[in-house]
Amino acid sequence: MPVLPLRMAVCGALALLLASCSSTRAPQPVAPVKAGGAISGPGDYSRPHKDGAPWWDVDVSRIQDAVPMPHYGPVKASPYTVFGKQYYPISDARRYQAVGTASWYGTKFHGQATANGEAYDLYGMTAAHKTLPLPSYVRVTNLDNQRSVILRVNDRGPFYSDRIIDLSFAAAKKLGYAESGTARVKVEGIDPHEWWARQGRPVPLVLAAPQQAAKVQTVAQPVAQPLEQYSPPPQQHAAAVLPVQIDAKKNASVAASGLYLQVAAFANPDAAELLKAKLSDTVAAPVFISSVVHNQQILHRVRLGPIASRGEAEQLQDSVRLANLGQPRLVKAD
């Protein structure tokens, strides 16, 4: 056979082989990143004070969804308390469903240990949830555009506002809401055994230790629990201490310490820091956070001042309102 036809025949055979492999290849499970392990991003990563999007760019279309894998060890599902509120995780995520608001978290938490002990990677396909067992898997669908992703739940949160789940930056980017910050989503728990059965394949044992692999056929699966009806918790994001109002008619004289405006008060310190940063970019007056204990809860009050005159205070109120950053009220210094 001439050399050229022979080469073409060999290349053709290789192409057919590669096409066959790529079309039948099973999803590849990826081991979770342990705390202190390698994560995406620059080697000299310096964590910023404020959370935000990464400054290094990764093509998220190349990032694969998390691959649901059965968990044969204990799950993290003990009751816990955050900001004075107690949470009671469920032990089985397979039949969980909820609809609500999703947010995302990024650079401030990149590389830090999650509640599950794994390292958070903002380009990983993971999520934080208040009551799902750790670890577990969920499908999250953006109800505005019907995009969906499969994520590994390995962290706790979010603990403010009425948001039901916090996604990694990569997941939010793939769902199309990284720029807007939040989206209305549907969250559905996944049974890994059922998921693999739908792929027409047995559950792979590539991540199981030998002793765990031996248990696969003997471990009893927990009985499916009734659907959890999720009720958003009372607002924690903007639960404000009612400030002492200054009556302009009764208080003609300004205190020696000056006037102050309180824009909002938050249970979550990160939310207070975020508002403080936005106000600092909007107004010329000093912006600070004053924390107090109210009803056995720490609240972080975002304030402006001291302000020299009522006229200046009114101008600041207008500026804050026009910027849609809140409804500031005059308060006494304390």
Side-chain angles (χ1 to χ4, degrees):
M1 179 183 291
V3 175
L4 183 57
L6 177 62
R7 288 179 178 174
M8 292 177 65
V10 171
C11 290
L14 287 174
L16 287 173
L17 178 61
L18 290 173
S20 173
C21 292
S22 63
S23 63
T24 59
R25 186 182 182 190
Q28 298 300 304
V30 178
V33 180
K34 296 300 181 183
I39 55 175
S40 66
D44 57 348
Y45 179 75
S46 179
R47 184 172 295 107
H49 179 63
K50 293 183 292 184
D51 198 18
W55 52 88
W56 64 97
D57 191 27
V58 173
D59 183 359
V60 296
S61 67
R62 296 177 177 271
I63 299 176
Q64 299 299 311
D65 283 3
V67 177
M69 291 293 293
H71 182 75
Y72 301 111
V75 297
K76 191 179 184 68
S78 301
Y80 64 97
T81 302
V82 175
F83 298 133
K85 180 178 177 61
Q86 193 150 19
Y87 296 88
Y88 298 91
I90 60 177
S91 59
D92 186 356
R94 295 177 299 167
R95 300 294 177 259
Y96 176 86
Q97 288 191 19
V99 173
T101 303
S103 49
W104 60 268
Y105 60 126
T107 52
K108 182 176 180 180
F109 305 94
H110 187 64
Q112 292 188 346
T114 65
N116 203 34
E118 301 165 8
Y120 171 64
D121 187 339
L122 58 81
Y123 276 116
M125 295 301 284
T126 60
H129 194 279
K130 292 185 280 287
T131 58
L132 288 178
L134 307 181
S136 57
Y137 292 87
V138 294
R139 179 183 295 278
V140 181
T141 303
N142 185 339
L143 297 178
D144 292 330
N145 57 23
Q146 299 307 309
R147 298 184 194 174
S148 66
V149 293
I150 294 177
L151 306 173
R152 176 182 169 90
V153 181
N154 67 352
D155 205 359
R156 290 293 181 219
F159 296 113
Y160 58 94
S161 189
D162 60 351
R163 299 169 190 178
I164 64 170
I165 193 167
D166 244 353
L167 273 54
S168 66
F169 171 78
K173 192 80 173 175
K174 293 187 75 171
L175 289 182
Y177 76 87
E179 289 75 20
S180 59
T182 60
R184 185 165 175 78
V185 301
K186 182 178 182 180
V187 182
E188 302 169 279
I190 293 176
D191 182 331
H193 289 92
E194 292 181 359
W195 188 87
W196 278 99
R198 285 194 295 271
Q199 315 305 312
R201 298 176 180 278
V203 178
L205 302 179
V206 293
L207 295 184
Q211 63 270 26
Q212 291 175 324
K215 293 181 183 178
V216 173
Q217 300 301 324
T218 59
V219 172
Q221 294 300 314
V223 178
Q225 295 182 348
L227 177 66
E228 181 190 11
Q229 298 298 322
Y230 178 82
S231 299
Q235 275 196 344
Q236 293 176 310
H237 188 177
V241 175
L242 294 178
V244 179
Q245 295 291 328
I246 296 179
D247 190 325
K249 294 181 179 178
K250 293 183 179 180
N251 297 276
S253 60
V254 178
S257 58
L259 293 171
Y260 293 85
L261 290 173
Q262 181 163 309
V263 182
F266 302 93
N268 184 280
D270 290 335
E273 289 287 351
L274 182 61
L275 178 58
K276 177 186 174 184
K278 290 182 178 179
L279 287 168
S280 298
D281 292 337
T282 304
V283 300
V287 185
F288 65 97
I289 295 173
S290 171
S291 300
V292 295
V293 177
H294 179 70
N295 291 336
Q296 298 182 337
Q297 183 180 37
I298 299 176
L299 291 175
H300 307 277
R301 305 174 298 183
V302 183
R303 293 185 166 186
L304 305 177
I307 304 165
S309 66
R310 294 191 181 280
E312 183 181 345
E314 290 174 357
Q315 290 179 355
L316 285 171
Q317 286 176 311
D318 291 340
S319 297
V320 174
R321 288 167 183 154
L322 287 172
N324 291 319
L325 294 178
Q327 297 292 327
R329 295 182 283 185
L330 284 167
V331 296
K332 291 181 179 178
D334 58 9

